[in-house]
Amino acid sequence: MAEKNVTDEEFQDALSEPVPSIQKVTTNSPKQDKLIDEIIEKNSKLRLEDDEAGAVGGKEEGNKDNNDDDENNSDRLELIHHDEELSLEELQLREKDLSAEELALNKEKADKLKLEGNELFKNGQAERAIELYTDALNICPSTNSKERAVLFGNRAAAKMKLEANKSAIYDCTKAIELYPEYVRALLRRAKLYEQEDRPDEALTDYKRVYEIDPGQREAREAQVRLPAYINERNEKLKTEMMSSLKGLGDMILKPFGLSTANFQMKQDPNSGSYSINFNQNNS
């Protein structure tokens, strides 16, 4: 699993900022079975995502156990909502009666807030940095797409510092929507997807990075590392699913004196289709 800590070196302001390294795992990339992929795709929708965890600093009053601390930390993290900033429609409505000079002034104020947020982040004040990035997003002109993309990307980095991964993924996605070739945001979201055990989405982002920049080392390595992990996960899920189906089948067939052992499934190597044979002697 990728590291959760975000270092100052990883947090940069430019669109061409350097890329954080991730743990390298050398594996082969086997082909995935098409039928299994279809089954897993249907079943993966049923999986529940893990709750976000992590601590946000600060002291609690009174004597409280670890569970209370976890609940309080979760409550504080819940305050980091992606809907704190104005929607694009709301921002455009505010800008409707502003002059070009006023819009330019708002852009300057947003740039200043961003720089202040950067300093706060580097000084370990991630929560306060998030507030300033949000304030900047609420005045940065809607036409300044790249600048707004960077604000979302920087806010995502601050949320990563607080381990608010799902909210950080939202910010990365907003940044990418504003600037589809924002490599830094794509890499950050890919890393977050890995932390959330969503390797399929992570691989998609790494592939996109590789399309934009074929020389990107992390993207190249991920395309070797992740397919093997995905295949292993799919095989595990397939085994668990088949075991569950077998148990269900045995329960249904038991009143008839039968079990799933009476049925044998064979795949046609040419067509890929399956046939089921019945053997009454098996029990």
Side-chain angles (χ1 to χ4, degrees):
M1 181 176 291
E3 296 179 358
K4 290 186 177 180
N5 294 330
V6 181
T7 65
D8 290 344
E9 292 180 355
E10 289 180 287
F11 183 77
Q12 298 293 331
D13 193 24
L15 296 177
S16 59
E17 57 201 338
V19 180
S21 60
I22 57 179
Q23 185 177 0
K24 180 178 179 181
V25 180
T26 303
T27 57
N28 294 325
S29 176
K31 294 182 179 180
Q32 300 182 29
D33 184 272
K34 184 177 180 180
L35 177 63
I36 295 176
D37 283 346
E38 294 175 354
I39 297 174
I40 297 303
E41 182 179 357
K42 293 179 181 178
N43 282 271
S44 63
K45 296 178 181 179
L46 302 177
R47 291 191 302 161
L48 296 176
E49 293 184 354
D50 293 335
D51 292 334
E52 288 184 5
V56 177
K59 296 181 179 180
E60 301 293 335
E61 296 181 359
N63 295 325
K64 299 185 179 182
D65 57 22
N66 292 333
N67 291 332
D68 290 335
D69 290 339
D70 290 341
E71 291 177 1
N72 289 329
N73 289 332
S74 297
D75 290 341
R76 295 186 68 189
L77 286 177
E78 284 298 322
L79 298 177
I80 306 173
H81 293 306
H82 56 247
D83 56 358
E84 289 179 348
E85 77 276 357
L86 296 173
S87 68
L88 183 61
E89 293 76 15
E90 291 172 328
L91 181 60
Q92 291 173 337
L93 185 61
R94 283 191 177 187
E95 296 173 343
K96 186 176 180 181
D97 298 323
L98 296 181
S99 65
E101 290 76 13
E102 289 173 322
L103 289 172
L105 182 60
N106 279 355
K107 169 63 169 53
E108 292 180 8
K109 291 179 180 178
D111 287 341
K112 182 178 179 181
L113 287 169
K114 178 185 67 176
L115 294 176
E116 292 176 1
N118 291 354
E119 288 303 313
L120 287 169
F121 177 90
K122 294 174 182 178
N123 291 328
Q125 302 181 56
E127 287 186 82
R128 179 58 181 152
I130 289 171
E131 294 177 5
L132 293 191
Y133 294 137
T134 302
D135 290 343
L137 283 166
N138 286 336
I139 61 174
C140 185
S142 58
T143 54
N144 292 90
S145 297
K146 287 188 178 181
E147 287 80 1
R148 292 182 61 80
V150 170
L151 286 169
F152 276 114
N154 287 5
R155 196 172 71 171
K159 290 178 179 180
M160 287 175 69
K161 193 75 170 180
L162 300 177
E163 298 182 5
N165 289 356
K166 293 179 177 63
S167 188
I169 287 173
Y170 168 87
D171 280 354
C172 288
T173 300
K174 295 294 292 185
I176 294 165
E177 289 174 353
L178 289 166
Y179 184 43
E181 296 187 350
Y182 194 171
V183 170
R184 177 61 177 181
L186 284 163
L187 285 168
R188 180 173 287 132
R189 189 172 68 174
K191 185 175 181 180
L192 286 163
Y193 278 147
E194 286 199 70
Q195 291 181 3
E196 292 296 293
D197 195 21
R198 297 166 62 179
D200 304 88
E201 293 97 325
L203 182 58
T204 297
D205 278 351
Y206 282 125
K207 286 181 177 179
R208 176 57 181 151
V209 169
Y210 186 75
E211 291 175 0
I212 299 171
D213 181 10
Q216 226 311 311
R217 179 176 59 83
E218 281 77 9
R220 293 199 311 271
E221 291 180 352
Q223 292 183 76
V224 174
R225 171 171 49 83
L226 286 179
Y229 174 77
I230 292 171
N231 184 72
E232 181 181 354
R233 180 208 61 183
N234 288 353
E235 288 296 325
K236 181 179 179 181
L237 288 174
K238 182 190 71 171
T239 301
E240 293 174 353
M241 181 187 65
M242 294 303 293
S243 178
S244 297
L245 290 175
K246 184 177 183 298
L248 178 62
D250 288 338
M251 182 178 66
I252 295 173
L253 294 170
K254 185 176 181 180
F256 303 97
L258 299 173
S259 72
T260 54
N262 294 108
F263 299 88
Q264 184 179 24
M265 182 181 294
K266 290 186 177 181
Q267 184 179 23
D268 188 324
N270 297 319
S271 64
S273 61
Y274 285 83
S275 62
I276 299 177
N277 298 324
F278 176 71
N279 186 348
Q280 190 171 6
N281 294 327
N282 287 341
S283 59

